[in-house]
Amino acid sequence: GEPLPDMLGMERSAFGNFMRNGIIAQYFLDLSDLVAADKADYAAGRMAIYTYDGKLYGLESQLAGSLLYYQPAVYEAAGVDVPTTWEQVVNDVGPKLVDAGSAFTFATNDGDWFLMLYYQRGGAVFDADGNFVLGNEDNRALAIEVATLVQQGIQNGTFMVVLGNDVWGGATLPTAYNDGSLASTVMPDWWEGCCLKPYAGPDAAGKWRVALPPVWEGGGHTTLTWGGTGWMVSSASPNAELAKEFLAFAYLGLESQVQKFTAINNFPWYIPAFSDPRVAGYEDPYFGGQHTGELFGQVAADVPAWYPSPFLPNAKTALGDNLPALFDGSLTPEAFVDNSVSTVQEAIDFGF
Protein backbone atom coordinates (compact mmCIF):
# COMPACT_ATOMS: atom_id res chain seq x y z
CA GLY A 1 0.00 0.00 0.00
CA GLU A 2 0.87 3.65 -0.09
CA PRO A 3 2.85 5.17 2.77
CA LEU A 4 0.85 6.81 5.53
CA PRO A 5 0.91 10.63 5.31
CA ASP A 6 2.30 12.66 8.18
CA MET A 7 -0.90 14.71 8.45
CA LEU A 8 -4.46 13.87 7.51
CA GLY A 9 -7.43 16.13 6.87
CA MET A 10 -10.55 14.66 8.45
CA GLU A 11 -14.07 15.91 7.80
CA ARG A 12 -15.83 16.59 11.07
CA SER A 13 -18.46 13.87 10.71
CA ALA A 14 -15.77 11.16 10.35
CA PHE A 15 -14.04 11.99 13.62
CA GLY A 16 -16.49 9.95 15.68
CA ASN A 17 -15.49 6.77 13.86
CA PHE A 18 -12.13 6.92 15.64
CA MET A 19 -13.73 7.39 19.05
CA ARG A 20 -14.86 3.75 19.20
CA ASN A 21 -12.97 1.96 21.95
CA GLY A 22 -10.65 4.94 22.23
CA ILE A 23 -8.66 3.98 19.15
CA ILE A 24 -8.07 7.61 18.22
CA ALA A 25 -5.25 7.78 20.78
CA GLN A 26 -3.53 4.90 19.00
CA TYR A 27 -3.49 6.58 15.59
CA PHE A 28 -3.20 10.33 16.18
CA LEU A 29 -1.15 12.68 18.32
CA ASP A 30 -2.69 14.67 21.14
CA LEU A 31 -2.47 18.33 20.06
CA SER A 32 -3.77 19.84 23.30
CA ASP A 33 -0.43 21.35 24.27
CA LEU A 34 -0.40 23.44 21.10
CA VAL A 35 -3.27 25.60 22.38
CA ALA A 36 -2.68 25.26 26.12
CA ALA A 37 -1.21 28.74 26.53
CA ASP A 38 -3.96 30.64 24.69
CA LYS A 39 -6.87 28.24 24.45
CA ALA A 40 -9.40 30.92 25.38
CA ASP A 41 -8.44 32.86 22.24
CA TYR A 42 -9.73 30.09 19.96
CA ALA A 43 -13.38 29.41 19.13
CA ALA A 44 -14.32 26.68 21.61
CA GLY A 45 -16.91 25.21 19.28
CA ARG A 46 -14.26 24.56 16.64
CA MET A 47 -12.15 22.57 19.09
CA ALA A 48 -15.01 20.59 20.60
CA ILE A 49 -15.65 18.72 17.35
CA TYR A 50 -12.14 17.19 17.44
CA THR A 51 -11.93 16.53 21.17
CA TYR A 52 -12.04 13.09 22.79
CA ASP A 53 -11.54 12.27 26.46
CA GLY A 54 -10.49 15.86 27.10
CA LYS A 55 -7.77 15.82 24.45
CA LEU A 56 -7.63 17.77 21.19
CA TYR A 57 -6.76 15.69 18.12
CA GLY A 58 -7.51 18.03 15.22
CA LEU A 59 -6.99 21.66 14.23
CA GLU A 60 -9.89 23.18 12.33
CA SER A 61 -9.43 24.78 8.92
CA GLN A 62 -11.83 27.70 9.29
CA LEU A 63 -14.52 29.27 11.46
CA ALA A 64 -17.60 27.86 9.67
CA GLY A 65 -19.77 30.47 11.37
CA SER A 66 -22.85 31.66 9.51
CA LEU A 67 -24.21 34.97 8.28
CA LEU A 68 -27.28 35.99 6.32
CA TYR A 69 -26.46 36.49 2.63
CA TYR A 70 -29.20 38.54 0.98
CA GLN A 71 -30.17 40.56 -2.09
CA PRO A 72 -31.10 44.10 -0.96
CA ALA A 73 -33.01 44.87 -4.17
CA VAL A 74 -35.30 41.88 -3.57
CA TYR A 75 -35.83 42.90 0.05
CA GLU A 76 -36.60 46.47 -0.97
CA ALA A 77 -39.09 45.34 -3.59
CA ALA A 78 -40.91 43.33 -0.93
CA GLY A 79 -40.77 46.19 1.56
CA VAL A 80 -38.86 44.25 4.23
CA ASP A 81 -35.82 44.87 6.36
CA VAL A 82 -33.21 42.35 7.45
CA PRO A 83 -34.86 40.15 10.10
CA THR A 84 -33.26 39.70 13.48
CA THR A 85 -35.11 36.57 14.73
CA TRP A 86 -36.32 33.32 13.18
CA GLU A 87 -39.79 34.03 14.52
CA GLN A 88 -39.76 37.31 12.60
CA VAL A 89 -38.61 35.40 9.52
CA VAL A 90 -41.55 32.99 9.42
CA ASN A 91 -44.23 35.34 10.73
CA ASP A 92 -43.41 38.62 8.98
CA VAL A 93 -40.45 38.95 6.62
CA GLY A 94 -40.88 35.55 4.97
CA PRO A 95 -44.58 35.93 4.11
CA LYS A 96 -43.98 39.43 2.70
CA LEU A 97 -41.17 38.07 0.52
CA VAL A 98 -43.48 35.25 -0.60
CA ASP A 99 -46.15 37.79 -1.58
CA ALA A 100 -43.49 39.46 -3.74
CA GLY A 101 -42.51 36.15 -5.36
CA SER A 102 -39.46 35.17 -3.25
CA ALA A 103 -38.52 32.71 -0.53
CA PHE A 104 -36.32 33.75 2.38
CA THR A 105 -33.92 30.78 2.32
CA PHE A 106 -33.80 27.14 1.28
CA ALA A 107 -34.54 24.00 3.28
CA THR A 108 -33.05 20.65 2.41
CA ASN A 109 -33.29 17.05 3.58
CA ASP A 110 -29.77 16.90 4.96
CA GLY A 111 -29.81 16.20 8.68
CA ASP A 112 -27.00 18.69 9.17
CA TRP A 113 -29.23 21.47 7.81
CA PHE A 114 -31.72 20.82 10.61
CA LEU A 115 -28.94 20.43 13.16
CA MET A 116 -27.53 23.80 12.13
CA LEU A 117 -30.76 25.43 13.33
CA TYR A 118 -31.17 23.14 16.33
CA TYR A 119 -27.68 23.70 17.71
CA GLN A 120 -28.12 27.45 17.30
CA ARG A 121 -31.27 27.23 19.45
CA GLY A 122 -29.08 25.71 22.17
CA GLY A 123 -29.81 22.01 21.70
CA ALA A 124 -27.42 19.10 21.68
CA VAL A 125 -27.42 15.60 20.20
CA PHE A 126 -24.52 14.31 22.30
CA ASP A 127 -22.99 15.98 25.33
CA ALA A 128 -19.30 16.58 25.98
CA ASP A 129 -18.99 13.08 27.46
CA GLY A 130 -20.53 11.41 24.41
CA ASN A 131 -23.92 10.67 25.97
CA PHE A 132 -26.93 10.69 23.64
CA VAL A 133 -29.12 13.57 24.83
CA LEU A 134 -31.35 14.47 21.89
CA GLY A 135 -34.28 12.68 23.55
CA ASN A 136 -33.80 14.36 26.92
CA GLU A 137 -36.74 16.50 27.99
CA ASP A 138 -35.12 19.88 27.39
CA ASN A 139 -33.45 18.94 24.10
CA ARG A 140 -36.57 17.20 22.79
CA ALA A 141 -38.55 20.38 23.47
CA LEU A 142 -35.98 22.49 21.61
CA ALA A 143 -35.94 20.08 18.65
CA ILE A 144 -39.74 20.17 18.45
CA GLU A 145 -39.67 23.98 18.58
CA VAL A 146 -37.20 24.11 15.69
CA ALA A 147 -39.10 21.48 13.70
CA THR A 148 -42.35 23.40 14.22
CA LEU A 149 -40.83 26.59 12.86
CA VAL A 150 -39.32 24.72 9.90
CA GLN A 151 -42.66 23.13 9.05
CA GLN A 152 -44.42 26.48 9.31
CA GLY A 153 -41.79 28.06 7.07
CA ILE A 154 -42.25 25.32 4.47
CA GLN A 155 -46.02 25.59 4.53
CA ASN A 156 -46.12 29.36 4.08
CA GLY A 157 -43.35 29.43 1.45
CA THR A 158 -40.72 31.17 3.57
CA PHE A 159 -38.39 28.19 3.03
CA MET A 160 -37.84 26.89 -0.51
CA VAL A 161 -37.46 23.11 -0.47
CA VAL A 162 -34.41 21.94 -2.42
CA LEU A 163 -33.79 18.23 -2.01
CA GLY A 164 -30.69 16.06 -2.19
CA ASN A 165 -27.78 16.83 -4.46
CA ASP A 166 -29.70 19.64 -6.12
CA VAL A 167 -28.29 21.85 -3.35
CA TRP A 168 -24.72 21.09 -4.38
CA GLY A 169 -24.84 21.17 -8.15
CA GLY A 170 -28.31 21.38 -9.62
CA ALA A 171 -29.91 24.25 -11.47
CA THR A 172 -32.46 25.15 -8.79
CA LEU A 173 -30.39 27.45 -6.61
CA PRO A 174 -28.49 29.25 -9.40
CA THR A 175 -31.80 29.94 -11.14
CA ALA A 176 -33.51 31.04 -7.92
CA TYR A 177 -30.68 33.37 -6.96
CA ASN A 178 -30.63 35.01 -10.35
CA ASP A 179 -34.36 35.41 -10.90
CA GLY A 180 -34.91 36.63 -7.34
CA SER A 181 -37.19 33.77 -6.28
CA LEU A 182 -34.66 33.07 -3.51
CA ALA A 183 -33.94 36.33 -1.77
CA SER A 184 -31.36 35.18 0.72
CA THR A 185 -29.57 32.29 2.40
CA VAL A 186 -28.36 31.61 5.93
CA MET A 187 -25.26 29.44 5.65
CA PRO A 188 -21.67 29.17 6.93
CA ASP A 189 -18.72 31.13 5.57
CA TRP A 190 -17.67 28.35 3.19
CA TRP A 191 -20.99 28.68 1.33
CA GLU A 192 -19.97 31.95 -0.30
CA GLY A 193 -16.93 30.39 -1.96
CA CYS A 194 -18.28 26.97 -2.89
CA CYS A 195 -21.77 27.92 -3.87
CA LEU A 196 -23.16 31.44 -3.51
CA LYS A 197 -20.70 33.26 -5.74
CA PRO A 198 -20.51 30.48 -8.38
CA TYR A 199 -24.29 30.03 -8.36
CA ALA A 200 -25.18 33.73 -8.54
CA GLY A 201 -22.31 34.34 -10.95
CA PRO A 202 -19.96 37.25 -11.59
CA ASP A 203 -22.72 39.48 -12.91
CA ALA A 204 -24.27 39.51 -9.43
CA ALA A 205 -21.16 41.05 -7.87
CA GLY A 206 -22.18 44.07 -5.83
CA LYS A 207 -25.83 43.00 -5.73
CA TRP A 208 -25.50 40.93 -2.56
CA ARG A 209 -24.97 41.94 1.06
CA VAL A 210 -24.31 40.15 4.34
CA ALA A 211 -25.80 40.66 7.80
CA LEU A 212 -25.85 38.95 11.14
CA PRO A 213 -28.06 35.84 11.02
CA PRO A 214 -31.45 35.60 12.72
CA VAL A 215 -31.42 34.34 16.30
CA TRP A 216 -34.07 32.58 18.38
CA GLU A 217 -36.29 34.62 20.65
CA GLY A 218 -36.04 31.91 23.30
CA GLY A 219 -32.25 32.05 23.43
CA GLY A 220 -29.30 30.10 22.07
CA HIS A 221 -26.32 31.19 20.02
CA THR A 222 -25.72 34.24 17.85
CA THR A 223 -24.68 32.16 14.85
CA LEU A 224 -25.06 28.75 13.24
CA THR A 225 -22.49 26.27 11.98
CA TRP A 226 -22.23 23.28 9.69
CA GLY A 227 -19.21 21.31 8.57
CA GLY A 228 -15.52 21.50 9.21
CA THR A 229 -12.27 19.79 8.33
CA GLY A 230 -9.64 19.22 10.99
CA TRP A 231 -5.97 18.43 10.40
CA MET A 232 -4.51 15.64 12.47
CA VAL A 233 -1.04 14.15 12.89
CA SER A 234 -0.50 10.43 12.42
CA SER A 235 1.27 8.93 15.42
CA ALA A 236 2.72 6.22 13.13
CA SER A 237 4.62 8.77 11.06
CA PRO A 238 8.40 8.80 11.59
CA ASN A 239 8.08 12.58 11.28
CA ALA A 240 5.18 12.90 13.74
CA GLU A 241 6.71 15.51 16.03
CA LEU A 242 7.99 17.55 13.09
CA ALA A 243 4.55 17.36 11.47
CA LYS A 244 2.97 18.54 14.70
CA GLU A 245 5.34 21.49 14.83
CA PHE A 246 4.59 22.34 11.20
CA LEU A 247 0.82 22.12 11.75
CA ALA A 248 1.10 24.53 14.65
CA PHE A 249 3.14 26.91 12.52
CA ALA A 250 0.68 26.76 9.61
CA TYR A 251 -2.62 26.79 11.51
CA LEU A 252 -2.24 28.48 14.89
CA GLY A 253 -1.61 32.01 16.07
CA LEU A 254 -2.40 35.40 14.66
CA GLU A 255 -0.14 35.54 11.63
CA SER A 256 -0.91 32.07 10.29
CA GLN A 257 -4.67 32.54 10.62
CA VAL A 258 -4.60 35.98 9.03
CA GLN A 259 -2.40 34.89 6.15
CA LYS A 260 -4.60 31.88 5.51
CA PHE A 261 -7.57 34.23 5.31
CA THR A 262 -5.85 36.61 2.89
CA ALA A 263 -4.63 33.72 0.72
CA ILE A 264 -7.71 31.47 0.50
CA ASN A 265 -10.48 33.35 2.34
CA ASN A 266 -10.72 30.87 5.23
CA PHE A 267 -12.16 32.95 8.07
CA PRO A 268 -10.10 32.54 11.27
CA TRP A 269 -11.17 30.64 14.36
CA TYR A 270 -8.51 32.48 16.38
CA ILE A 271 -10.61 35.31 17.82
CA PRO A 272 -7.88 38.04 18.02
CA ALA A 273 -7.40 37.69 14.24
CA PHE A 274 -10.68 39.52 13.73
CA SER A 275 -9.09 42.66 15.20
CA ASP A 276 -6.35 42.58 12.58
CA PRO A 277 -7.06 45.14 9.80
CA ARG A 278 -6.29 42.54 7.14
CA VAL A 279 -9.39 40.67 8.33
CA ALA A 280 -11.60 43.34 9.90
CA GLY A 281 -10.83 45.85 7.16
CA TYR A 282 -11.16 43.52 4.18
CA GLU A 283 -13.73 44.86 1.70
CA ASP A 284 -15.42 42.17 -0.35
CA PRO A 285 -16.50 43.66 -3.70
CA TYR A 286 -19.07 40.91 -4.21
CA PHE A 287 -20.91 42.26 -1.18
CA GLY A 288 -20.63 45.91 -2.16
CA GLY A 289 -17.37 46.43 -0.30
CA GLN A 290 -18.75 45.31 3.06
CA HIS A 291 -16.32 44.37 5.82
CA THR A 292 -17.37 40.73 6.06
CA GLY A 293 -14.59 39.93 8.54
CA GLU A 294 -15.97 42.50 10.94
CA LEU A 295 -19.36 40.76 10.91
CA PHE A 296 -17.89 37.29 11.38
CA GLY A 297 -15.82 38.69 14.22
CA GLN A 298 -19.01 39.59 16.07
CA VAL A 299 -20.13 35.94 16.21
CA ALA A 300 -16.83 34.01 16.08
CA ALA A 301 -16.60 33.27 19.79
CA ASP A 302 -20.15 31.90 19.86
CA VAL A 303 -20.01 29.19 17.18
CA PRO A 304 -22.00 26.25 18.64
CA ALA A 305 -20.21 23.05 19.62
CA TRP A 306 -21.30 19.83 17.90
CA TYR A 307 -19.89 17.30 20.35
CA PRO A 308 -18.67 14.23 18.47
CA SER A 309 -19.78 10.62 18.80
CA PRO A 310 -19.47 7.46 16.73
CA PHE A 311 -23.24 7.73 16.38
CA LEU A 312 -23.48 11.36 15.27
CA PRO A 313 -23.69 10.21 11.60
CA ASN A 314 -26.66 8.06 12.62
CA ALA A 315 -28.39 11.15 13.95
CA LYS A 316 -27.71 13.06 10.75
CA THR A 317 -29.10 10.19 8.66
CA ALA A 318 -32.17 9.68 10.86
CA LEU A 319 -33.07 13.36 10.79
CA GLY A 320 -32.44 13.61 7.05
CA ASP A 321 -34.59 10.56 6.33
CA ASN A 322 -37.49 12.09 8.28
CA LEU A 323 -37.21 15.66 7.00
CA PRO A 324 -39.22 15.17 3.76
CA ALA A 325 -42.19 13.93 5.81
CA LEU A 326 -41.82 16.94 8.12
CA PHE A 327 -41.72 19.19 5.08
CA ASP A 328 -44.88 17.79 3.49
CA GLY A 329 -46.78 17.64 6.77
CA SER A 330 -47.18 13.88 6.94
CA LEU A 331 -45.14 13.89 10.17
CA THR A 332 -45.85 16.21 13.07
CA PRO A 333 -42.85 17.95 14.63
CA GLU A 334 -43.22 15.68 17.66
CA ALA A 335 -43.24 12.51 15.53
CA PHE A 336 -40.30 13.80 13.48
CA VAL A 337 -38.19 14.19 16.61
CA ASP A 338 -39.32 11.00 18.30
CA ASN A 339 -38.80 8.87 15.19
CA SER A 340 -35.28 10.24 14.82
CA VAL A 341 -34.46 9.70 18.49
CA SER A 342 -35.73 6.12 18.33
CA THR A 343 -33.63 5.31 15.27
CA VAL A 344 -30.44 6.65 16.84
CA GLN A 345 -31.10 4.93 20.15
CA GLU A 346 -31.56 1.61 18.36
CA ALA A 347 -28.20 2.08 16.63
CA ILE A 348 -26.56 2.81 19.97
CA ASP A 349 -28.20 -0.18 21.61
CA PHE A 350 -27.06 -2.52 18.85
CA GLY A 351 -23.64 -0.90 18.55
CA PHE A 352 -23.71 0.15 14.89
Side-chain angles (χ1 to χ4, degrees):
E2 295 185 7
L4 195 68
D6 300 321
M7 299 184 297
L8 300 91
M10 183 176 294
E11 204 277 332
R12 171 209 36 99
S13 62
F15 182 83
N17 295 332
F18 291 87
M19 295 171 63
R20 295 179 186 272
N21 302 315
I23 62 173
I24 194 164
Q26 301 175 35
Y27 294 102
F28 298 102
L29 291 190
D30 176 10
L31 307 179
S32 304
D33 60 305
L34 298 182
V35 298
D38 55 355
K39 187 175 181 179
D41 287 333
Y42 290 92
R46 295 283 85 192
M47 291 184 285
I49 53 180
Y50 307 110
T51 297
Y52 173 72
D53 198 23
K55 298 177 181 179
L56 179 66
Y57 288 95
L59 299 184
E60 177 54 65
S61 298
Q62 64 188 97
L63 182 67
S66 298
L67 294 178
L68 168 65
Y69 299 90
Y70 72 101
Q71 301 185 71
V74 179
Y75 274 37
E76 291 170 12
V80 300
D81 296 321
V82 171
T84 57
T85 70
W86 284 108
E87 291 80 3
Q88 184 184 8
V89 167
V90 297
N91 293 315
D92 180 28
V93 171
K96 289 177 180 176
L97 284 168
V98 171
D99 288 343
S102 300
F104 173 76
T105 191
F106 69 84
T108 188
N109 60 325
D110 189 313
D112 281 349
W113 178 83
F114 178 83
L115 289 174
M116 183 171 65
L117 295 162
Y118 169 67
Y119 277 107
Q120 187 200 22
R121 179 61 182 89
V125 178
F126 294 90
D127 64 17
D129 296 320
N131 300 306
F132 181 52
V133 295
L134 177 59
N136 292 6
E137 182 178 357
D138 290 345
N139 285 316
R140 178 179 181 272
L142 293 178
I144 291 171
E145 177 187 339
V146 173
T148 300
L149 182 137
V150 167
Q151 191 173 73
Q152 178 186 349
I154 299 292
Q155 291 173 347
N156 70 12
T158 296
F159 296 150
M160 172 188 290
V161 175
V162 184
L163 299 179
N165 290 331
D166 204 17
V167 170
W168 309 107
T172 301
L173 289 179
T175 300
Y177 281 157
N178 282 289
D179 67 14
S181 57
L182 187 57
S184 46
T185 297
V186 178
M187 283 291 280
D189 48 21
W190 48 259
W191 180 258
E192 67 179 60
C194 81
C195 306
L196 175 62
K197 292 177 179 178
Y199 287 176
D203 291 342
K207 298 178 181 178
W208 284 79
R209 296 292 185 272
V210 292
L212 295 176
V215 297
W216 294 86
E217 290 180 0
H221 297 274
T222 56
T223 190
L224 313 81
T225 189
W226 176 358
T229 298
W231 282 91
M232 308 170 73
V233 177
S234 169
S235 57
S237 167
N239 306 308
E241 289 301 324
L242 183 61
K244 180 178 176 179
E245 182 179 346
F246 175 78
L247 184 58
F249 167 77
Y251 264 54
L252 296 177
L254 178 67
E255 195 60 28
S256 64
Q257 296 246 331
V258 170
Q259 288 204 27
K260 192 150 65 72
F261 169 75
T262 59
I264 57 176
N265 206 41
N266 275 6
F267 282 92
W269 55 285
Y270 180 67
I271 309 304
F274 287 99
S275 298
D276 190 287
R278 291 169 291 178
V279 178
Y282 172 70
E283 298 179 359
D284 192 324
Y286 205 88
F287 303 115
Q290 275 188 286
H291 294 170
T292 52
E294 184 179 5
L295 285 170
F296 277 114
Q298 293 182 44
V299 300
D302 198 30
V303 173
W306 294 32
Y307 292 113
S309 164
F311 298 99
L312 187 56
N314 297 78
K316 170 184 174 176
T317 299
L319 291 163
D321 288 347
N322 284 287
L323 276 171
L326 177 72
F327 292 168
D328 67 22
S330 57
L331 272 183
T332 65
E334 292 81 2
F336 163 77
V337 174
D338 291 341
N339 286 359
S340 300
V341 168
S342 177
T343 299
V344 179
Q345 188 61 60
E346 287 179 6
I348 293 171
D349 291 342
F350 285 98
F352 61 84

